[in-house]
Amino acid sequence: MAEDLADDVLRVENVSKRFGAVTALRDINLHLRKGEVLGLLGDNGAGKSTLMKIIAGFQNADSGRIVVKGEEVTFRDVDHARSLGIDCVYQDLALVNELDVVQNMFLKRELVSRPVPLLARRKMRRLTREALDQIGINIPRLDVPVARLSGGQRQAIAVARTVTSEADIILLDEPLAAMGAKEGAMILDLVQKLREEGNVSIIMIAHNYVHVLQSCDRVNLIQGGQITFDKPTPETSVEELNEIVVEEYRRARRAAHAD
Ligand SMILES: Nc1ncnc2c1ncn2[C@@H]1O[C@H](COP(=O)(O)OP(=O)(O)OP(=O)(O)O)[C@@H](O)[C@H]1O
Ligand SMILES: [Mg+2]
């Protein structure tokens, strides 16, 4: 157990979060080991994005503790979490519509070169192109406002931005949601590559059990704001996950009928 704790780059302990009458997270516990890819599954509204936003410093928990690389932290904001190596690809993306592809890629981490600013712009352009090529996404022009791009192209930019950042704890909130089958496969290949390299630790939210079983080392299921299932992927199956989720649905329906 002590060894397990030492391997954790991130621990969420007894975190709760309410929005008015809605309890999004209920005394939740989660941990992420160094170098692992953790798949997070759960129904719509289960609390997955809320948990990611809290870990990324975007929202505050009402109670509980966050421990990053052995130190308890209270994030001041997203930049504070980023300075500790945590970066998130949000489900709703957080690109700036009016800025172009390159400006979005380097948002808040612009390269500067003095006295010739043009050089930095060229370099950022080249790095942007390389990062997008690495994912395999085709975006013909990098100097258009991202508002004009498709949902999948926007998503690719958000993923590329995060995986090329300094972050070593990467949160991917439904990175495949807007992707076609081919582009989705490319994102999964990228996650696979990062997993093999073992330098970053990843939490990936997805709705597709097959993707999670293929791409993750371990799977957690979040139901009603709590983790109800935690197993290494080789020890579970689509059938088992399906059974748990459907059983919960039936139980909730029976409870509703009993009222
Ligand atoms: N800013 C907010 N204000 C009020 N309620 C919120 C807010 N953010 C989330 N909620 C509520 O908290 C609950 C959990 O939402 P969350 O976005 O974390 O779910 P999720 O698991 O990511 O769902 P999905 O799979 O649909 O993305 C939902 O009931 C949601 O309506
Ligand atoms: Mg969500």
Side-chain angles (χ1 to χ4, degrees):
M1 184 70 193
E3 205 175 310
D4 271 352
L5 283 175
D7 279 349
D8 288 336
V9 288
L10 173 75
R11 297 185 65 81
V12 171
E13 297 177 357
N14 307 108
V15 161
S16 295
K17 177 74 177 174
R18 293 173 61 116
F19 298 102
V22 176
T23 301
L25 298 174
R26 205 181 291 271
D27 214 14
I28 200 165
N29 288 287
L30 170 140
H31 70 111
L32 180 65
R33 294 197 189 102
K34 185 166 174 8
E36 85 171 337
V37 181
L38 173 66
L40 187 57
L41 291 168
D43 290 339
N44 298 130
K48 305 179 297 297
S49 295
T50 302
L51 182 56
M52 292 307 105
K53 286 174 183 167
I54 289 172
I55 297 171
F58 188 76
Q59 279 172 352
N60 289 320
D62 296 336
S63 56
R65 284 174 11 117
I66 308 268
V67 180
V68 180
K69 296 159 192 164
E71 305 245 340
E72 182 176 351
V73 280
T74 305
F75 297 128
R76 289 186 298 277
D77 52 25
V78 171
D79 289 334
H80 184 197
R82 222 172 253 155
S83 74
L84 297 174
I86 301 173
D87 204 357
C88 184
V89 177
Y90 296 96
Q91 190 171 17
D92 39 24
L93 290 181
L95 299 184
V96 179
N97 274 328
E98 298 73 28
L99 298 182
D100 73 19
V101 180
V102 177
Q103 288 166 328
N104 267 285
M105 270 295 283
F106 284 89
L107 200 62
K108 302 190 97 177
R109 53 185 187 106
E110 290 85 0
L111 303 180
V112 282
S113 71
R114 290 196 185 88
V116 196
L118 190 64
L119 290 182
R121 171 77 193 169
R122 273 200 205 132
K123 186 169 181 196
M124 286 192 284
R125 226 188 129 76
R126 180 170 55 75
L127 292 173
T128 299
R129 182 55 78 196
E130 280 173 15
L132 293 172
D133 285 349
Q134 192 193 14
I135 294 188
I137 201 90
N138 179 28
I139 300 177
R141 291 189 53 185
L142 300 183
D143 56 355
V144 296
V146 296
R148 279 197 239 151
L149 299 178
S150 76
Q153 289 172 324
R154 294 166 56 86
Q155 201 149 23
I157 294 166
V159 171
R161 179 172 70 186
T162 294
V163 301
T164 56
S165 73
E166 297 287 300
D168 59 3
I169 297 175
I170 293 179
L171 314 173
L172 302 173
D173 193 347
E174 302 200 34
L176 308 186
M179 296 282 180
K182 187 184 94 192
E183 290 81 2
M186 287 168 170
I187 298 285
L188 290 178
D189 282 352
L190 179 66
V191 170
Q192 187 58 37
K193 182 171 148 272
L194 294 170
R195 183 182 175 190
E196 282 162 12
E197 289 169 358
N199 299 323
V200 298
S201 314
I202 300 176
I203 301 179
M204 180 172 80
I205 297 178
H207 282 290
N208 185 313
Y209 298 166
V210 175
H211 290 161
V212 167
L213 292 177
Q214 274 170 1
S215 306
C216 301
D217 297 295
R218 191 158 59 90
V219 54
N220 277 9
L221 179 64
I222 177 167
Q223 293 180 302
Q226 287 194 306
I227 303 290
T228 54
F229 182 88
D230 178 7
K231 269 192 188 179
T233 45
E235 292 172 23
T236 186
S237 63
V238 170
E239 291 73 23
E240 184 181 26
L241 293 165
N242 217 9
E243 183 60 34
I244 293 166
V245 171
V246 171
E247 185 46 48
E248 161 67 17
Y249 163 72
R250 294 213 181 96
R251 196 194 55 70
R253 242 177 68 142
R254 279 196 302 271
H257 280 288
D259 284 347

